Amino acid sequence: MGKGLLVTYVLWALGGPVGLHHLYLGRDSHALLWMLTLGGGGFGWLWEFWKLPGFVAQANRVQGQKQRPGEGRPPLSFLRFAAQVIVGIYFGLVALISLSSMAHFYIVGLPLAVALGVLLVAAVGNQTSDFRNTIGTAFLTSPVFYGRPIAILPISLAASITAQKHRRFKASEESETLSVRLYRVGLAYLAFTGPLAYSVLYNTAATINYAAETLGSFLSWFSFFPLLERLVESVLLMPCRIWWLLVGDPAFNGGQFQEWEKLYEFVDSFQDEKRQLAYQVLGLPKGASNEEIHRSYRDLVKVWHPDHNRHQTEEAQRHFLEIQAAYEVLSQPKKPRASWG
């Protein structure tokens, strides 16, 4: 039976963030991805509004006309590659929080989790990739920064590059009943959320502490890229801000909510720490005016511009980048801290 565009839009509106419309269209990998990321943080779900006609047309193609392996190669997609890297990092972070106590985690658990995230994105739509090569690359890359959360980044990058290199169209498959598909998707969903839910509910304090350490490591890494760091902060704080917006002034009293409030404050405090460091780099007191910030920035740029310091190029380049980053931070309006009652 053909799939209807109107039904697809209705399911997209009612349950899009959990992938109902993708289940209807037979896009199980896409549905699972949306379940685990809540529609790509909501952005992917909204962006799909213009993509649904194409999804419906693809679902309605005659099975004999579907692309088979060897009949061509999918075009290279930067968007899919970026999504693979991001989801790989996301899977790695979840594994760090929920499974880091297992033996040989950084050799086995972490690369496997990251690679599965990359492969999930690779399997969206009518494409897929080579399972063995992607998993193998993740395991070979895992010794890089061994024992440190930042190892997630090179693993995800390497696995995503491999998945793109071995991308191919999916083979035609016999249609399965809805119950079988739901069973498979449900098992995958439980495998992802089960360990995390157990860790959060039964070992809340340790989970929060480890999450804070992991987030701190990542925010420190991204401090060299102010725009990217602000984006990462916004994504990390989004669940707390959405909750606060929905319930108003929650006045958390439960022990677990207080722990999550500490995590929110921990991440939010990075903005203040960055501003303090930026004032030090520009040689200004805290609370300096915009004119003072601009004047100090202009003077320091003249002093440390690499073209004016050819005898000490490396040092000048380092100072120049620090000055640029500090000015970028102080040029942004200070965000008010949320009040939790």
Side-chain angles (χ1 to χ4, degrees):
M1 180 180 294
K3 305 298 182 181
L5 182 59
L6 179 59
V7 176
T8 303
Y9 270 108
V10 171
L11 292 175
W12 172 87
L14 296 178
V18 294
L20 285 185
H21 56 301
H22 289 305
L23 283 174
Y24 169 70
L25 296 175
R27 301 166 60 90
D28 294 350
S29 297
H30 210 159
L32 178 61
L33 177 63
W34 260 208
M35 291 177 187
L36 298 179
T37 63
L38 289 181
F43 297 110
W45 167 62
L46 294 174
W47 179 74
E48 281 185 335
F49 181 84
W50 292 271
K51 307 286 289 185
L52 292 183
F55 292 162
V56 173
Q58 181 181 346
N60 285 330
R61 287 175 187 164
V62 179
Q63 191 172 25
Q65 296 177 339
K66 289 184 179 179
Q67 194 82 22
R68 293 182 175 85
E71 290 186 351
R73 194 179 188 189
L76 184 65
S77 171
F78 176 77
L79 180 61
R80 186 180 291 260
F81 173 76
Q84 287 173 335
V85 174
I86 293 172
V87 174
I89 292 173
Y90 170 60
F91 271 51
L93 287 173
V94 172
L96 272 172
I97 294 171
S98 57
L99 300 174
S100 58
S101 59
M102 66 178 286
H104 309 297
F105 169 75
Y106 282 95
I107 292 295
V108 179
L110 184 61
L112 180 60
V114 173
L116 289 176
V118 171
L119 285 168
L120 178 59
V121 178
V124 166
N126 63 345
Q127 297 185 28
T128 187
S129 188
D130 186 81
F131 181 87
R132 183 172 58 184
N133 281 292
T134 304
I135 293 285
T137 300
F139 276 93
L140 290 174
T141 313
S142 61
V144 179
F145 298 107
Y146 174 80
R148 298 174 59 188
I150 198 60
I152 296 173
L153 186 57
I155 296 174
S156 185
L157 280 171
S160 299
I161 292 172
T162 302
Q164 283 289 319
K165 180 180 179 181
H166 295 278
R167 67 191 185 277
R168 63 175 186 267
F169 287 108
K170 291 178 180 176
S172 299
E173 298 177 353
E174 296 295 331
S175 59
E176 297 177 325
T177 62
L178 180 60
S179 59
V180 172
R181 293 169 48 215
L182 290 176
Y183 176 74
R184 184 186 297 114
V185 171
L187 283 181
Y189 181 82
L190 289 176
F192 180 89
T193 59
L196 180 61
Y198 178 85
S199 179
V200 170
L201 293 176
Y202 294 98
N203 198 12
T204 304
T207 301
I208 296 302
N209 289 335
Y210 200 85
E213 293 176 3
T214 303
L215 296 178
S217 299
F218 265 84
L219 290 175
S220 297
W221 175 268
F222 287 116
S223 62
F224 296 101
F225 311 97
L227 291 175
L228 185 57
E229 185 183 15
R230 283 199 297 274
L231 176 62
V232 173
E233 284 183 355
S234 299
V235 172
L236 293 175
L237 294 177
M238 188 178 302
C240 290
R241 287 172 175 161
I242 292 175
W243 175 266
W244 185 48
L245 179 65
L246 292 175
V247 301
D249 186 4
F252 293 149
N253 294 318
Q256 293 181 358
F257 285 127
Q258 291 175 359
E259 294 290 347
W260 285 111
E261 179 185 350
K262 293 177 184 177
L263 178 60
Y264 178 93
E265 293 175 349
F266 173 85
V267 178
D268 199 33
S269 67
F270 267 77
Q271 185 68 21
D272 291 335
E273 294 178 7
K274 286 190 303 181
R275 294 183 71 87
Q276 292 176 10
L277 180 60
Y279 282 124
Q280 295 177 10
V281 170
L282 296 183
L284 295 171
K286 184 177 180 180
S289 66
N290 291 334
E291 292 182 1
E292 293 174 324
I293 293 171
H294 182 70
R295 187 186 314 117
S296 178
Y297 165 74
R298 186 177 53 196
D299 293 342
L300 289 173
V301 162
K302 292 179 181 178
V303 172
W304 288 108
H305 198 285
D307 291 343
H308 302 159
N309 295 271
R310 299 187 181 278
H311 60 291
Q312 48 179 354
T313 306
E314 292 185 3
E315 182 180 0
Q317 183 72 19
R318 179 174 59 84
H319 282 291
F320 186 76
L321 292 176
E322 289 178 352
I323 295 165
Q324 294 277 10
Y327 182 71
E328 176 99 20
V329 169
L330 295 179
S331 297
Q332 300 296 322
K334 186 176 180 181
K335 296 180 289 186
R337 187 179 299 276
S339 173
W340 296 88

